[in-house]
Amino acid sequence: VFDSNFLPQGLCLYKSLERQESDFVLWIICVDDLCWEKLNAIKLDKIKLIKLSDVETKSLLDVKKNRNKVEYIWTLSPFAPKFVFEQDPEITRVTYLDADMYFMKSPKLLFNEFEKSGKAVMITPHNYAPQYDQSSKSGKYCVQFIIFKRNESENVRKWWETKCLEWCYQRVEENKFGDQKYLDQFPLKFKKYVHILEKKEYIQAPWNARIFESKDCLAYHFHGLRLIENKLGLILFSKGYKIPQGTLKKIYQIYFCELRKLYQKGLYEWKGQTKEINKLFAWS
């Protein structure tokens, strides 16, 4: 679920899946028309698009009036699997992914663990390094990667949907934060249905890069990475976190190279000068 501002990240996610896994379909819920137009023009083989304006419900439109852009996109999270299930009755499993995820290896091991659990939903812990622990604010679990089985997961998904419609804001309030803090309740309310990823090192992010080996990473969450334009043409990434050199070289460098390739192919636009783009990617 993303808008045109996250198009570079969304395309990187697609390319990583294409490289690591041949059997997939990436459904993208386009939050704005520009996102839909650009992706529709590219026509990538394993992408299917949903225009948000075609599927927005009355309940969503009602809360949209009182939420900012980020809050509204967060509100859409529990609706995403529902929209995809409704588009294709043959689909038996949907995995919600944040747009800034990137697969370093095949996700098969993640799905293997989930299938062995016999559960209907899988969530992933933040696994914070001690110095970055934000569990009290942001929650123990991260929305980044959530698996839903058709029908069997509906009671969990529907509860999450109801909660996000009631309250989903960019602030901490009464043990709530956006769409994410609700995940803390999943294993408590729905223990029979929810599996928590056990191989913690499979999904890495800026907040846990210091406690895991980069070689064990299946998927990396590039939280906080933004393309910014200034006179130096710099990338601002993972602000507030100290990333180990090994992770920078073995994970971030690959991601920057992917961004550069997509730019050079004209798959997204950069408003700065070509000279600045080359300088920005020079070290990668």
Side-chain angles (χ1 to χ4, degrees), residues 104-244:
M104 306 300 297
K105 301 176 185 176
S106 170
K108 279 193 171 81
L109 290 175
L110 290 161
F111 293 116
N112 288 346
E113 180 180 315
F114 172 64
E115 292 299 335
K116 287 178 182 177
S117 76
K119 302 294 181 72
V121 175
M122 186 172 85
I123 56 176
T124 59
H126 275 106
N127 298 311
Y128 290 111
Q131 60 269 53
Y132 299 133
D133 193 349
Q134 302 166 56
S135 301
S136 60
K137 173 190 172 182
S138 300
K140 184 177 180 180
Y141 307 101
C142 188
V143 173
Q144 61 193 358
F145 184 102
I146 309 179
I147 305 174
F148 297 88
K149 280 187 179 177
R150 182 188 284 274
N151 299 327
E152 297 172 53
S153 65
E154 182 58 15
N155 57 339
V156 183
R157 190 210 62 79
K158 182 65 178 177
W159 179 86
W160 189 27
E161 173 189 309
T162 301
K163 288 298 180 182
C164 285
L165 285 173
E166 289 175 0
W167 192 99
C168 188
Y169 296 97
Q170 206 170 2
R171 62 178 185 265
V172 178
E173 183 179 304
E174 297 178 349
N175 203 32
K176 295 178 294 212
F177 177 72
D179 57 338
Q180 190 159 268
K181 202 73 162 63
Y182 293 123
L183 300 188
D184 284 7
Q185 298 299 313
F186 277 23
L188 303 176
K189 287 181 173 293
F190 306 102
K191 185 176 181 180
K192 178 181 176 182
Y193 301 94
V194 176
H195 175 69
I196 301 166
L197 179 66
E198 294 173 353
K199 292 286 188 179
K200 298 177 180 180
E201 67 277 12
Y202 283 173
I203 298 184
Q204 298 183 21
W207 50 78
N208 62 34
R210 299 186 72 179
I211 61 174
F212 293 134
E213 295 286 338
S214 57
K215 64 181 176 59
D216 296 325
C217 178
L218 265 65
Y220 196 87
H221 186 175
F222 284 91
H223 171 81
L225 184 147
R226 297 291 184 272
L227 295 179
I228 59 170
E229 180 184 356
N230 63 21
K231 63 181 180 180
L232 298 176
L234 296 175
I235 276 188
L236 169 69
F237 63 93
S238 307
K239 187 176 182 180
Y241 300 101
K242 186 175 180 180
I243 309 298

